[in-house]
Amino acid sequence: MATFLYKVGRLAFRRRHYVALLWIALLTLAGVGAASAPTAGASSFSVPGTEAQKAFDLLEQRFPGMSADGATARVVFKAPAGEKLDSGANKATVEKTVKDLGDGSEVVSVADPFKGKAVSKDGTIAYASVKYKVSGMELKDASKDALKETAQQARASGLTVEVGGDALTATPETGSTEIIGIAIAAVVLVITFGSLLAAGFPLLTALIGVGIGVSTITALASALDLGTTTSTLAMMIGLAVGIDYALFIVSRYRAELAEGREREEAAGRAVGTAGSAVVFAGLTVVIALVGLAVVNIPMLTKMGVAAAGTVAIAVLIALTMIPALLGYAGKKIKPTGEKSKLLGGGRAKSAEKASRPNMGTRWASFVVRRPLAVLLLGVIGLGAAAIPAASLELGLPDDGSQPTSTTQRRAYDLLSEGFGPGFNGPLMVVVDAKDSKTPKADVTTVTDKIKALKDVTTVTPATFNKDGDTATITVVPDSKPSSVTTEDLVHGIRDAGTEVKADTDSSVLVTGTTAMNIDVSQKLNDALIPYLILVVGLAFLLLIVVFRSILVPLKAALGFLLSVMAALGAVVAVFQWGWLSGLMGVEETGPVMSMMPIFMVGVVFGLAMDYEVFLVTRMREAHVHGEKPSQAIVTGFRHSARVVTAAAVIMIAVFSGFISSSESMIKMIGFGLAIAVFFDAFVVRMAIVPAVLALLGKRAWWLPKWLDRVLPNVDVEGEGLRDLDSKNSDPDEDRELVRA
């Protein structure tokens, strides 16, 4: 592989005009496609295989036009102090608001609180339920704006009016976080390279790659039902890896220049060596993202595949456009150790300073001398950080987790005040009595069993469809939607339904937003272990091929698991326990988003393997070229520690920007990914990895002979390049590469 990529790098360097035009043409094509594509809303949400989804599908068949999974809004009214809502002026305002709410084209029905007995016992709080044809993720902005405007008009009369429910589901606003992340990345790159031009190349190529990826997603969004969250994830991952991959190749190019090679030769060798590491690092990220399909949640699968496509583009750009840009730059890109004149280059260094080893060398030498102490300190530290993960509680966010400044949260609190906490998470029980001879009697039996359960406040009378073979029953729990008690109630109703099924021919299903959240959390929990086995297993096999070792990939996987557990512990401490919540802007603590563990495993595993490949590949390269194991560790750090540190800081900066989001879910993802990268890059890869390799010595690179014969030789360390002579390059090399 190194030889092939070496030829790719030299070809791109010489044919830079064609390469640059090709990528500009692709960016333009994707941009035109995005601009001309029909506007797409958020993707539809379904969870195949869950009971809640089966119930939704059944309701669509038996109650046509009901829009069972359609969005709902609860417009909550509260009378001024000392007044009641049924007084003349207040009642008139409520009735006018109900009438205005029903004017929307996507509205199915609006329930009058006075006719539907939706007024609290003291007469001060009431709510109007609005039902829509489509889900909250598909609802048009015009319908959401009309809902907000109607509520605002009602407030003008003196009533307190707030809006809750999933109808106001919106794409989280992250403000200028991407710009902040890019700005920090630019500063880090300038410090790393000592050159504005060299620092600009990774930024430019990353932005082009993200532009192509996100524009393509936008162009295909309507046809493939891709939501706005898909492009957000692709942008976050694509920007981070795009900068990192280009960073490694530019850094290796400067190192090759420092060894006295000509610029075209240096570009070829940079792509052949660092580019090989980029390919395998990119493959691990792609495996981790595409592997999200095992969860069998279509929206999550699409997000993973789209982000993986953006990563693949980042790899291709790093391998081709970076050497092309290096060709344009010429002598303006300095060898390693030299800075541009603008940043203080050209000054003579003292002999003492010039001969002084860099920070990476000094750190690696320290670890090699004290490997056991460093290993124990790193493992104990991460183990301590992981302790809170033992108390991990998973759930999906509801309006109760919103900031108190939002209308959704205020509506949630008003409903809890007027009708009890469980009123915010009603359960819908569906009784399928199509095969029963006594459907009404079966429904009565189900109702009685539900009333006998604990934590039940209200059970509404059953509503039958036109054929009389299916009924719905609304159950209001006594506890809030995200509580363990409510989850136990859902399981209790389902257990009672199993008993009914055994005694009759009727089936009982529980659905609704609360039940769907519980089912999704369970589905994600069940998929976590298979996902870990798939992703870690495939990446383990891939790393065996890369490093030609058993213990190095094993150590990489175990180190990753340790860093992920520590990161989950930090997430629990901040978002569940409330530690440093004020600093992080966390207004409401509660269960950790159920998608967080599997999402963190997928994204962080791919990124962690980046650092593993880039750092350890340079060590293996030194070892293959004859250095002792301990010296190879120092050599690897001398050449790679600075650039790996810069890459990690860039990743952390990009992810940390999302902590400022007003959406708790995005805030949690940003914090979790940032702290995970910090733990993995600076504790696992920079401390534990060299300590373990120092303790293992030559055993680290052991591989059974039979396996060595079976494995393909991908030559990531560039052994095949040692015999190449740039002065004797084949003039027909371009045609040879095309044939390859």
Side-chain angles (χ1 to χ4, degrees):
M1 175 176 285
T3 304
F4 173 78
L5 292 179
Y6 164 82
K7 294 178 181 179
V8 170
R10 294 192 64 183
L11 175 65
F13 187 96
R14 288 199 305 273
R15 301 290 185 262
R16 46 189 171 273
H17 302 307
Y18 297 107
V19 174
L21 285 174
L22 174 63
W23 284 111
I24 292 173
L26 289 175
L27 179 61
T28 303
L29 182 64
V32 171
S36 59
T39 303
S43 61
S44 57
F45 184 79
S46 63
V47 189
T50 61
E51 181 172 317
Q53 187 65 50
K54 291 176 182 177
F56 277 137
D57 296 340
L58 180 65
L59 289 173
E60 288 292 339
Q61 297 174 8
R62 306 287 175 83
F63 290 83
M66 179 182 178
S67 300
D69 59 348
T72 58
R74 281 178 170 174
V75 182
V76 188
F77 307 89
K78 184 175 183 179
E83 299 181 22
K84 294 193 175 184
L85 286 173
D86 57 359
S87 63
N90 292 338
K91 186 174 183 179
T93 299
V94 173
E95 290 176 341
K96 181 181 182 305
T97 302
V98 170
K99 182 177 180 300
D100 293 341
L101 289 171
D103 293 338
S105 61
E106 293 184 304
V107 176
V108 174
S109 63
V110 182
D112 189 316
F114 299 111
K115 296 179 181 178
K117 297 181 181 180
V119 182
S120 62
K121 292 181 180 179
D122 60 6
T124 61
I125 299 176
Y127 68 92
S129 295
V130 186
K131 185 71 176 177
Y132 292 89
K133 298 177 182 177
V134 296
S135 69
M137 303 179 74
E138 300 170 291
L139 198 63
K140 294 180 181 177
D141 289 339
S143 297
K144 296 178 181 180
D145 293 339
L147 178 61
K148 296 175 184 177
E149 179 62 25
T150 302
Q152 185 59 39
Q153 292 175 0
R155 292 188 187 104
S157 66
L159 294 179
T160 298
V161 184
E162 306 295 347
V163 183
D166 61 349
L168 290 184
T169 299
T171 303
E173 296 290 339
T174 56
S176 57
T177 53
E178 294 89 349
I179 298 176
I180 295 172
I182 293 173
I184 296 175
V187 173
V188 174
L189 289 169
V190 170
I191 294 173
T192 303
F193 290 139
S195 167
L196 293 175
L197 185 62
F201 286 170
L203 291 174
L204 176 62
T205 54
L207 290 174
I208 291 175
V210 168
I212 294 173
V214 172
S215 296
T216 303
I217 291 170
T218 304
L220 299 175
S222 180
L224 300 181
D225 191 25
L226 304 176
T228 51
T229 51
T230 303
S231 58
T232 300
L233 176 64
M235 180 185 297
M236 189 190 320
I237 304 300
L239 187 62
V241 301
I243 294 174
D244 279 6
Y245 294 163
L247 165 66
F248 284 108
I249 292 180
V250 173
S251 177
R252 186 59 184 259
Y253 172 75
R254 297 177 72 230
E256 296 293 337
L257 289 180
E259 294 182 9
R261 291 192 171 88
E262 295 295 328
R263 295 188 177 274
E264 182 180 329
E265 178 71 8
R269 288 179 179 269
V271 176
T273 51
S276 297
V278 164
V279 169
F280 282 97
L283 276 175
T284 59
V285 180
V286 168
I287 288 172
L289 291 171
V290 174
L292 290 171
V294 303
V295 183
N296 195 26
I297 296 179
M299 184 181 72
L300 192 60
T301 300
K302 293 174 185 177
M303 290 172 64
V305 171
T310 306
V311 171
I313 292 172
V315 171
L316 293 175
I317 284 186
L319 296 177
T320 56
M321 193 166 186
I322 283 295
L325 292 176
L326 293 174
Y328 282 118
K331 295 182 179 180
K332 294 179 181 178
I333 301 295
K334 306 295 182 182
T336 299
E338 295 185 22
K339 297 182 179 180
S340 64
K341 292 182 178 180
L342 183 63
L343 297 174
R347 299 174 185 174
K349 294 183 180 180
S350 65
E352 179 183 353
K353 188 173 182 180
S355 62
R356 185 183 181 188
N358 62 21
M359 180 65 75
T361 302
R362 297 197 300 272
W363 170 250
S365 299
F366 169 77
V367 174
V368 169
R369 290 195 305 269
R370 301 284 188 274
L372 187 59
V374 172
L375 175 61
L376 291 176
L377 185 61
V379 171
I380 292 172
L382 290 180
I387 289 175
S391 303
L392 178 67
E393 295 179 8
L394 298 176
L396 289 177
D398 55 23
D399 287 348
S401 62
Q402 296 274 2
T404 53
S405 58
T406 62
T407 186
Q408 295 98 316
R409 173 60 186 275
R410 291 196 291 264
Y412 181 96
D413 292 340
L414 285 176
L415 288 172
S416 296
E417 177 187 341
F419 303 94
F423 197 79
N424 285 290
L427 307 173
M428 179 179 289
V429 179
V430 182
V431 182
D432 180 8
K434 187 174 184 178
D435 298 328
S436 174
K437 297 179 181 179
T438 57
K440 291 186 177 180
D442 293 351
V443 171
T444 301
T445 300
V446 172
T447 303
D448 292 340
K449 284 184 175 292
I450 293 173
K451 288 180 178 179
L453 296 174
K454 296 180 180 179
D455 196 47
V456 174
T457 297
T458 307
V459 180
T460 63
T463 301
F464 283 86
N465 63 344
K466 290 183 179 180
D467 296 335
D469 59 6
T470 308
T472 60
I473 305 167
T474 301
V475 180
V476 178
D478 188 43
S479 52
K480 63 181 183 179
S482 59
S483 69
V484 177
T485 307
T486 300
E487 183 177 348
D488 292 339
L489 175 60
V490 170
H491 294 311
I493 295 174
R494 287 172 174 170
D495 291 340
T498 302
E499 296 176 5
V500 171
K501 177 68 175 177
D503 298 335
T504 67
D505 293 322
S506 297
S507 300
V508 179
L509 304 171
V510 183
T511 189
T513 302
T514 301
M516 178 63 82
N517 288 349
I518 292 171
D519 286 353
V520 169
S521 297
Q522 186 61 49
K523 192 176 184 69
L524 289 165
N525 290 343
D526 294 342
L528 183 58
I529 299 301
Y531 178 68
L532 266 175
I533 294 173
L534 173 68
V535 173
V536 177
L538 287 176
F540 179 76
L541 296 176
L542 189 65
L543 292 178
I544 289 178
V545 174
V546 173
F547 296 127
R548 307 195 75 79
S549 165
I550 297 293
L551 297 179
V552 171
L554 180 61
K555 172 254 326 160
L558 294 177
F560 155 74
L561 293 175
L562 189 59
S563 61
V564 165
M565 290 303 298
L568 280 176
V571 169
V572 170
V574 173
F575 292 90
Q576 190 174 308
W577 292 0
W579 293 5
L580 302 177
S581 57
L583 181 63
M584 296 294 170
V586 179
E587 296 187 18
E588 187 74 19
T589 59
V592 172
M593 182 181 65
S594 55
M595 197 179 294
M596 193 68 194
I598 200 165
F599 184 80
M600 184 180 290
V601 166
V603 176
V604 176
F605 182 77
L607 301 181
M609 293 306 102
D610 283 0
Y611 305 129
E612 179 76 15
V613 170
F614 292 131
L615 191 61
V616 181
T617 297
R618 200 63 192 261
M619 297 179 192
R620 172 160 178 81
E621 182 179 341
H623 179 65
V624 167
H625 292 167
E627 292 187 7
K628 294 180 179 180
S630 59
Q631 184 57 40
I633 294 171
V634 176
T635 300
F637 267 78
R638 181 171 67 250
H639 292 294
S640 302
R642 181 183 178 88
V643 72
V644 167
T645 299
V649 171
I650 290 170
M651 287 275 192
I652 293 169
V654 171
F655 293 143
S656 294
F658 291 86
I659 297 176
S660 62
S661 173
S662 60
E663 179 67 31
S664 61
M665 181 176 69
I666 298 298
K667 186 189 296 287
M668 187 182 298
I669 289 175
F671 173 79
L673 294 181
I675 197 69
V677 169
F678 173 80
F679 285 148
D680 197 272
F682 293 107
V683 181
V684 175
R685 308 304 153 189
M686 290 291 186
I688 294 178
V689 165
V692 172
L693 291 177
L695 290 171
L696 290 175
K698 291 184 178 180
R699 293 187 298 274
W701 308 108
W702 172 78
L703 185 70
K705 292 182 179 180
W706 65 268
L707 186 57
D708 187 40
R709 290 191 298 268
V710 172
L711 290 178
N713 184 13
V714 295
D715 189 22
V716 176
E717 62 276 357
E719 178 67 16
L721 300 180
R722 300 185 70 187
D723 300 328
L724 290 175
D725 185 359
S726 62
K727 294 182 180 180
N728 297 322
S729 60
D730 186 352
D732 296 327
E733 185 178 300
D734 296 355
R735 289 191 295 275
E736 180 183 330
L737 176 60
V738 171
R739 288 195 300 271

PDB file of all heavy atoms in Angstrom, residues 50-70:
ATOM      1  N   THR A  50     -40.166  -2.656  18.060  1.00  0.00           N
ATOM      2  CA  THR A  50     -40.585  -2.314  19.414  1.00  0.00           C
ATOM      3  C   THR A  50     -42.107  -2.390  19.525  1.00  0.00           C
ATOM      4  O   THR A  50     -42.830  -2.204  18.546  1.00  0.00           O
ATOM      5  CB  THR A  50     -40.129  -0.897  19.801  1.00  0.00           C
ATOM      6  OG1 THR A  50     -40.712   0.056  18.907  1.00  0.00           O
ATOM      7  CG2 THR A  50     -38.618  -0.781  19.728  1.00  0.00           C
ATOM      8  N   GLU A  51     -42.582  -2.633  20.738  1.00  0.00           N
ATOM      9  CA  GLU A  51     -44.033  -2.729  20.941  1.00  0.00           C
ATOM     10  C   GLU A  51     -44.715  -1.403  20.672  1.00  0.00           C
ATOM     11  O   GLU A  51     -45.812  -1.355  20.105  1.00  0.00           O
ATOM     12  CB  GLU A  51     -44.325  -3.194  22.369  1.00  0.00           C
ATOM     13  CG  GLU A  51     -45.809  -3.333  22.656  1.00  0.00           C
ATOM     14  CD  GLU A  51     -46.096  -3.974  24.001  1.00  0.00           C
ATOM     15  OE1 GLU A  51     -45.423  -4.958  24.338  1.00  0.00           O
ATOM     16  OE2 GLU A  51     -47.008  -3.481  24.706  1.00  0.00           O
ATOM     17  N   ALA A  52     -44.069  -0.298  21.077  1.00  0.00           N
ATOM     18  CA  ALA A  52     -44.667   1.013  20.863  1.00  0.00           C
ATOM     19  C   ALA A  52     -44.854   1.289  19.373  1.00  0.00           C
ATOM     20  O   ALA A  52     -45.883   1.839  18.956  1.00  0.00           O
ATOM     21  CB  ALA A  52     -43.805   2.093  21.503  1.00  0.00           C
ATOM     22  N   GLN A  53     -43.880   0.900  18.537  1.00  0.00           N
ATOM     23  CA  GLN A  53     -43.994   1.119  17.099  1.00  0.00           C
ATOM     24  C   GLN A  53     -45.071   0.221  16.496  1.00  0.00           C
ATOM     25  O   GLN A  53     -45.825   0.641  15.609  1.00  0.00           O
ATOM     26  CB  GLN A  53     -42.650   0.852  16.423  1.00  0.00           C
ATOM     27  CG  GLN A  53     -42.624   1.206  14.941  1.00  0.00           C
ATOM     28  CD  GLN A  53     -42.811   2.677  14.698  1.00  0.00           C
ATOM     29  OE1 GLN A  53     -42.155   3.508  15.298  1.00  0.00           O
ATOM     30  NE2 GLN A  53     -43.749   3.023  13.820  1.00  0.00           N
ATOM     31  N   LYS A  54     -45.156  -1.020  16.974  1.00  0.00           N
ATOM     32  CA  LYS A  54     -46.208  -1.924  16.488  1.00  0.00           C
ATOM     33  C   LYS A  54     -47.594  -1.352  16.785  1.00  0.00           C
ATOM     34  O   LYS A  54     -48.509  -1.450  15.961  1.00  0.00           O
ATOM     35  CB  LYS A  54     -46.065  -3.297  17.149  1.00  0.00           C
ATOM     36  CG  LYS A  54     -44.827  -4.072  16.711  1.00  0.00           C
ATOM     37  CD  LYS A  54     -44.713  -5.382  17.475  1.00  0.00           C
ATOM     38  CE  LYS A  54     -43.453  -6.150  17.092  1.00  0.00           C
ATOM     39  NZ  LYS A  54     -43.304  -7.402  17.896  1.00  0.00           N
ATOM     40  N   ALA A  55     -47.719  -0.742  17.962  1.00  0.00           N
ATOM     41  CA  ALA A  55     -49.003  -0.142  18.327  1.00  0.00           C
ATOM     42  C   ALA A  55     -49.326   1.043  17.423  1.00  0.00           C
ATOM     43  O   ALA A  55     -50.469   1.216  16.979  1.00  0.00           O
ATOM     44  CB  ALA A  55     -48.978   0.298  19.790  1.00  0.00           C
ATOM     45  N   PHE A  56     -48.319   1.887  17.135  1.00  0.00           N
ATOM     46  CA  PHE A  56     -48.523   3.012  16.223  1.00  0.00           C
ATOM     47  C   PHE A  56     -48.974   2.517  14.851  1.00  0.00           C
ATOM     48  O   PHE A  56     -49.901   3.061  14.249  1.00  0.00           O
ATOM     49  CB  PHE A  56     -47.230   3.827  16.071  1.00  0.00           C
ATOM     50  CG  PHE A  56     -47.006   4.824  17.176  1.00  0.00           C
ATOM     51  CD1 PHE A  56     -45.759   4.976  17.740  1.00  0.00           C
ATOM     52  CD2 PHE A  56     -48.045   5.622  17.644  1.00  0.00           C
ATOM     53  CE1 PHE A  56     -45.545   5.888  18.755  1.00  0.00           C
ATOM     54  CE2 PHE A  56     -47.836   6.539  18.660  1.00  0.00           C
ATOM     55  CZ  PHE A  56     -46.583   6.680  19.218  1.00  0.00           C
ATOM     56  N   ASP A  57     -48.324   1.482  14.346  1.00  0.00           N
ATOM     57  CA  ASP A  57     -48.668   0.938  13.032  1.00  0.00           C
ATOM     58  C   ASP A  57     -50.084   0.359  13.033  1.00  0.00           C
ATOM     59  O   ASP A  57     -50.830   0.511  12.050  1.00  0.00           O
ATOM     60  CB  ASP A  57     -47.659  -0.148  12.635  1.00  0.00           C
ATOM     61  CG  ASP A  57     -46.248   0.402  12.466  1.00  0.00           C
ATOM     62  OD1 ASP A  57     -46.102   1.627  12.279  1.00  0.00           O
ATOM     63  OD2 ASP A  57     -45.284  -0.398  12.532  1.00  0.00           O
ATOM     64  N   LEU A  58     -50.450  -0.296  14.137  1.00  0.00           N
ATOM     65  CA  LEU A  58     -51.798  -0.857  14.239  1.00  0.00           C
ATOM     66  C   LEU A  58     -52.854   0.243  14.252  1.00  0.00           C
ATOM     67  O   LEU A  58     -53.904   0.133  13.600  1.00  0.00           O
ATOM     68  CB  LEU A  58     -51.910  -1.707  15.513  1.00  0.00           C
ATOM     69  CG  LEU A  58     -53.268  -2.377  15.768  1.00  0.00           C
ATOM     70  CD1 LEU A  58     -53.567  -3.407  14.681  1.00  0.00           C
ATOM     71  CD2 LEU A  58     -53.298  -3.033  17.143  1.00  0.00           C
ATOM     72  N   LEU A  59     -52.579   1.326  14.977  1.00  0.00           N
ATOM     73  CA  LEU A  59     -53.529   2.438  15.039  1.00  0.00           C
ATOM     74  C   LEU A  59     -53.711   3.092  13.676  1.00  0.00           C
ATOM     75  O   LEU A  59     -54.821   3.543  13.337  1.00  0.00           O
ATOM     76  CB  LEU A  59     -53.050   3.476  16.062  1.00  0.00           C
ATOM     77  CG  LEU A  59     -53.146   3.049  17.536  1.00  0.00           C
ATOM     78  CD1 LEU A  59     -52.477   4.079  18.431  1.00  0.00           C
ATOM     79  CD2 LEU A  59     -54.602   2.868  17.952  1.00  0.00           C
ATOM     80  N   GLU A  60     -52.644   3.158  12.881  1.00  0.00           N
ATOM     81  CA  GLU A  60     -52.753   3.727  11.535  1.00  0.00           C
ATOM     82  C   GLU A  60     -53.701   2.894  10.672  1.00  0.00           C
ATOM     83  O   GLU A  60     -54.424   3.430   9.831  1.00  0.00           O
ATOM     84  CB  GLU A  60     -51.364   3.778  10.874  1.00  0.00           C
ATOM     85  CG  GLU A  60     -50.438   4.837  11.440  1.00  0.00           C
ATOM     86  CD  GLU A  60     -50.888   6.246  11.122  1.00  0.00           C
ATOM     87  OE1 GLU A  60     -51.657   6.436  10.155  1.00  0.00           O
ATOM     88  OE2 GLU A  60     -50.487   7.176  11.846  1.00  0.00           O
ATOM     89  N   GLN A  61     -53.724   1.553  10.898  1.00  0.00           N
ATOM     90  CA  GLN A  61     -54.595   0.675  10.125  1.00  0.00           C
ATOM     91  C   GLN A  61     -56.037   0.726  10.623  1.00  0.00           C
ATOM     92  O   GLN A  61     -56.979   0.829   9.832  1.00  0.00           O
ATOM     93  CB  GLN A  61     -54.081  -0.765  10.208  1.00  0.00           C
ATOM     94  CG  GLN A  61     -52.702  -0.976   9.613  1.00  0.00           C
ATOM     95  CD  GLN A  61     -52.194  -2.388   9.864  1.00  0.00           C
ATOM     96  OE1 GLN A  61     -52.923  -3.247  10.343  1.00  0.00           O
ATOM     97  NE2 GLN A  61     -50.922  -2.623   9.556  1.00  0.00           N
ATOM     98  N   ARG A  62     -56.208   0.659  11.934  1.00  0.00           N
ATOM     99  CA  ARG A  62     -57.552   0.526  12.505  1.00  0.00           C
ATOM    100  C   ARG A  62     -58.246   1.868  12.751  1.00  0.00           C
ATOM    101  O   ARG A  62     -59.478   1.923  12.840  1.00  0.00           O
ATOM    102  CB  ARG A  62     -57.462  -0.225  13.843  1.00  0.00           C
ATOM    103  CG  ARG A  62     -56.744  -1.566  13.747  1.00  0.00           C
ATOM    104  CD  ARG A  62     -57.581  -2.617  13.045  1.00  0.00           C
ATOM    105  NE  ARG A  62     -56.824  -3.854  12.856  1.00  0.00           N
ATOM    106  CZ  ARG A  62     -56.694  -4.793  13.794  1.00  0.00           C
ATOM    107  NH1 ARG A  62     -57.255  -4.634  14.987  1.00  0.00           N
ATOM    108  NH2 ARG A  62     -55.993  -5.881  13.539  1.00  0.00           N
ATOM    109  N   PHE A  63     -57.472   2.936  12.913  1.00  0.00           N
ATOM    110  CA  PHE A  63     -58.040   4.275  13.116  1.00  0.00           C
ATOM    111  C   PHE A  63     -57.531   5.201  12.001  1.00  0.00           C
ATOM    112  O   PHE A  63     -56.745   6.111  12.263  1.00  0.00           O
ATOM    113  CB  PHE A  63     -57.633   4.846  14.479  1.00  0.00           C
ATOM    114  CG  PHE A  63     -58.267   4.172  15.649  1.00  0.00           C
ATOM    115  CD1 PHE A  63     -57.735   3.000  16.166  1.00  0.00           C
ATOM    116  CD2 PHE A  63     -59.393   4.716  16.264  1.00  0.00           C
ATOM    117  CE1 PHE A  63     -58.305   2.375  17.253  1.00  0.00           C
ATOM    118  CE2 PHE A  63     -59.971   4.091  17.360  1.00  0.00           C
ATOM    119  CZ  PHE A  63     -59.435   2.910  17.861  1.00  0.00           C
ATOM    120  N   PRO A  64     -57.938   4.987  10.746  1.00  0.00           N
ATOM    121  CA  PRO A  64     -57.434   5.818   9.644  1.00  0.00           C
ATOM    122  C   PRO A  64     -57.760   7.297   9.879  1.00  0.00           C
ATOM    123  O   PRO A  64     -58.858   7.651  10.280  1.00  0.00           O
ATOM    124  CB  PRO A  64     -58.178   5.270   8.418  1.00  0.00           C
ATOM    125  CG  PRO A  64     -59.362   4.544   8.967  1.00  0.00           C
ATOM    126  CD  PRO A  64     -58.952   4.012  10.290  1.00  0.00           C
ATOM    127  N   GLY A  65     -56.756   8.142   9.635  1.00  0.00           N
ATOM    128  CA  GLY A  65     -56.946   9.570   9.843  1.00  0.00           C
ATOM    129  C   GLY A  65     -56.655  10.023  11.252  1.00  0.00           C
ATOM    130  O   GLY A  65     -56.658  11.226  11.543  1.00  0.00           O
ATOM    131  N   MET A  66     -56.384   9.089  12.144  1.00  0.00           N
ATOM    132  CA  MET A  66     -56.131   9.455  13.536  1.00  0.00           C
ATOM    133  C   MET A  66     -54.754  10.074  13.721  1.00  0.00           C
ATOM    134  O   MET A  66     -54.526  10.842  14.641  1.00  0.00           O
ATOM    135  CB  MET A  66     -56.242   8.203  14.421  1.00  0.00           C
ATOM    136  CG  MET A  66     -55.977   8.450  15.895  1.00  0.00           C
ATOM    137  SD  MET A  66     -56.075   6.917  16.853  1.00  0.00           S
ATOM    138  CE  MET A  66     -55.678   7.517  18.497  1.00  0.00           C
ATOM    139  N   SER A  67     -53.790   9.738  12.823  1.00  0.00           N
ATOM    140  CA  SER A  67     -52.401  10.204  12.934  1.00  0.00           C
ATOM    141  C   SER A  67     -51.845   9.871  14.313  1.00  0.00           C
ATOM    142  O   SER A  67     -51.484  10.751  15.097  1.00  0.00           O
ATOM    143  CB  SER A  67     -52.313  11.711  12.677  1.00  0.00           C
ATOM    144  OG  SER A  67     -52.769  12.030  11.387  1.00  0.00           O
ATOM    145  N   ALA A  68     -51.790   8.577  14.593  1.00  0.00           N
ATOM    146  CA  ALA A  68     -51.399   8.117  15.927  1.00  0.00           C
ATOM    147  C   ALA A  68     -50.027   8.623  16.341  1.00  0.00           C
ATOM    148  O   ALA A  68     -49.802   8.942  17.508  1.00  0.00           O
ATOM    149  CB  ALA A  68     -51.426   6.589  15.976  1.00  0.00           C
ATOM    150  N   ASP A  69     -49.099   8.690  15.382  1.00  0.00           N
ATOM    151  CA  ASP A  69     -47.764   9.164  15.724  1.00  0.00           C
ATOM    152  C   ASP A  69     -47.563  10.628  15.353  1.00  0.00           C
ATOM    153  O   ASP A  69     -46.442  11.114  15.260  1.00  0.00           O
ATOM    154  CB  ASP A  69     -46.687   8.305  15.051  1.00  0.00           C
ATOM    155  CG  ASP A  69     -46.805   8.308  13.535  1.00  0.00           C
ATOM    156  OD1 ASP A  69     -47.841   8.785  13.022  1.00  0.00           O
ATOM    157  OD2 ASP A  69     -45.869   7.838  12.866  1.00  0.00           O
ATOM    158  N   GLY A  70     -48.685  11.324  15.120  1.00  0.00           N
ATOM    159  CA  GLY A  70     -48.610  12.745  14.797  1.00  0.00           C
ATOM    160  C   GLY A  70     -48.203  13.571  16.003  1.00  0.00           C
ATOM    161  O   GLY A  70     -48.345  13.159  17.156  1.00  0.00           O
TER     162      GLY A  70
END
